[in-house]
Amino acid sequence: MEGVRCPILFVFVLAVAGCSRAPDAPFPDWLGTVKTAHAGSSFEASKTLLDAALDAEREAGDYLGRVSFTPAQKTLLIERLREPVNRAVRASRESPRLVDRSTAPFETLEGQPGFRMIGRSLAWQIDRLVATEEYGPAVHLAVDATQFGFALGSGSASDAALGLRIVDEARLALAPALGKLSPRELRELGTGLEAALRRRPAASNLIENERRTMLAAVQTIQDAYRDRKLGRLIDELGRDIEPAIDYLENLRSEPSQVRAAYFEDFAAEAEAWVDHFATSMRRNARQRDGQPDPPLAEERPWRRFSRHFFQTLAPLVLQREETVCRTRLLALNALISAEVKVNGEAPGSLTGISADLTTDPYSGKQFLYRPEGSRFLLYSVGADLRDDGGETDETHRTPDVRVEGEGL
């Protein structure tokens, strides 16, 4: 008889199933529980976006894996990547929805190196246009790069994180030119960024991609258990997961219903984290302050696995908030600066500007704004949610958040 002992953890299951041998309970196909759509203009735009990334990878050739580039290499790659960059920018304006951007553990997602190269090319071009004082084209490319970066937010967590990095790099590349832009260029920057923010994809598709990725992790552990290949998980994740592996090995002596229940509860935790992060992304930092984690038992036997596989969205929530904050601040700064250059003084308030642009994603309230003649102070309370009067450090990130490059 398989497994005659009845541990307390599984008393309820055994009370129903009994300790006598029963037919093996089937292990579910966890990925089969999530469906995605593959139709419509947004899907076609996402296909174009991915095709452009794959073309960028081919054009980059041996440079694809590099992390630093000489000026000559940048010039070469800008020319090689011009066509896929243009296609990616055009596709990003069509509200692409990157479906099926999930991956099993230890695998890489198709197209990410190409997305990275496209983002680099855009930032390099902005750098060069600023250096040669071609500010109008630099503004247009900064808006394009912002739109492209935000479009990647419809994919996986790693796609979205890469996209936010591309948005940040474009903003930093343009920062040295802010004080030199004409009123027209400032307005084009402000309205262009506002449009890019408005077209930013909702988190729903990202959440579904991560749901599939988390369930793929459950599937991977389940398959490794079924195929008696748990040892390779230690090679990939490190020796800290050995207690979780030992637990699974000992589970083989338990009834099949108990073994199946382990993976059902493991998958249920994935769903709990998905719901938690979906809520987090709908809230600003103040609303999340004190938000509890899902109510999970401390001694879950799969806890070491879930720590590796179920936390991909946690850093993204913070990264997304900061990039959106900085992009809104830059757009507002540009619109206000245009008024200053035309009228000689800053507007008395932010009245008349869209609340979507003036809302601080940290506090949920309006950005703090203090005009004084032709000067003004515009800032966010930042992650500590405290008004420090606009005080900030060399990164313009803490304690309050301000626009990089202002006053240059």
Side-chain angles (χ1 to χ4, degrees), residues 128-181:
R128 294 190 172 194
L129 290 167
V130 168
T132 56
E133 300 184 355
E134 298 175 78
Y135 299 133
V139 164
H140 293 156
L141 274 184
V143 171
D144 286 342
T146 300
Q147 179 67 60
F148 169 66
F150 279 147
L152 299 185
S154 68
S156 68
S158 55
D159 288 331
L162 173 58
L164 294 171
R165 183 177 172 187
I166 289 168
V167 173
D168 292 339
E169 289 172 348
R171 187 185 65 252
L172 287 168
L174 187 66
L178 289 183
K180 304 168 186 176
L181 300 182

Side-chain angles (χ1 to χ4, degrees), residues 326 390-404:
R326 288 184 174 280
E391 179 183 349
T392 193
D393 65 358
E394 64 276 5
T395 70
H396 292 68
R397 175 180 288 119
T398 183
D400 292 337
V401 183
R402 292 172 59 179
V403 173
E404 304 104 325

Side-chain angles (χ1 to χ4, degrees), residues 160-309:
L162 173 58
L164 294 171
R165 183 177 172 187
I166 289 168
V167 173
D168 292 339
E169 289 172 348
R171 187 185 65 252
L172 287 168
L174 187 66
L178 289 183
K180 304 168 186 176
L181 300 182
S182 69
R184 177 179 178 180
E185 290 162 347
L186 286 165
R187 290 194 189 98
E188 288 177 348
L189 176 61
T191 56
L193 292 178
E194 182 178 9
L197 283 160
R198 189 171 55 250
R199 288 196 293 264
R200 187 166 55 95
S204 55
N205 207 66
L206 165 67
I207 290 294
E208 289 310 306
N209 280 317
E210 285 308 296
R211 185 193 305 275
R212 287 184 61 88
T213 292
M214 291 184 194
L215 291 178
V218 177
Q219 189 75 49
T220 294
I221 305 300
Q222 179 178 279
D223 291 349
Y225 173 76
R226 183 195 59 203
D227 299 338
R228 297 182 178 271
K229 295 181 179 179
L230 289 170
R232 77 179 186 91
L233 297 175
I234 298 175
D235 297 335
E236 298 286 355
L237 300 175
R239 307 205 73 84
D240 73 308
I241 67 159
E242 284 183 342
I245 298 291
D246 292 342
Y247 186 95
L248 275 173
E249 293 292 2
N250 292 331
L251 196 61
R252 296 189 190 281
S253 64
E254 302 298 341
S256 63
Q257 289 87 348
V258 173
R259 288 179 270 130
Y262 172 97
F263 292 103
E264 290 167 2
D265 291 342
F266 186 14
E269 179 170 335
E271 295 287 355
W273 280 113
V274 166
D275 292 342
H276 170 80
F277 288 121
T279 299
S280 295
M281 287 191 167
R282 291 193 297 268
R283 294 176 171 176
N284 58 54
R286 191 176 298 280
Q287 291 170 330
R288 291 198 315 274
D289 192 26
Q291 177 185 349
D293 287 342
L296 304 168
E298 180 64 26
E299 294 304 320
R300 309 178 310 283
W302 52 83
R303 177 173 57 86
R304 293 172 186 264
F305 292 136
S306 64
R307 187 176 64 220
H308 281 280
F309 297 126

Side-chain angles (χ1 to χ4, degrees), residues 325-333 367 378-380 401 403:
C325 177
R326 288 184 174 280
T327 306
R328 288 177 181 174
L329 283 173
L330 177 57
L332 275 175
N333 186 285
F367 285 116
L378 175 70
Y379 62 97
S380 158
V401 183
V403 173

Side-chain angles (χ1 to χ4, degrees), residues 8-88:
I8 294 175
L9 180 64
F10 299 115
V11 164
F12 176 77
V13 175
L14 295 181
V16 175
C19 288
S20 60
R21 182 178 178 86
D24 282 350
F27 288 131
D29 171 13
W30 296 108
L31 293 180
T33 65
V34 183
K35 305 297 183 184
T36 54
H38 297 79
S41 59
S42 61
F43 173 70
E44 291 303 318
S46 71
K47 184 177 182 302
T48 300
L49 200 62
L50 183 58
D51 288 344
L54 297 177
D55 285 347
E57 292 176 13
R58 285 188 286 271
E59 293 295 340
D62 293 339
Y63 293 105
L64 190 62
R66 292 183 66 93
V67 295
S68 62
F69 302 83
T70 67
Q73 289 168 343
K74 290 179 182 180
T75 298
L76 173 66
L77 286 167
I78 286 171
E79 290 305 315
R80 282 189 182 182
L81 298 173
R82 194 170 299 280
E83 197 277 332
V85 166
N86 289 340
R87 277 194 290 131

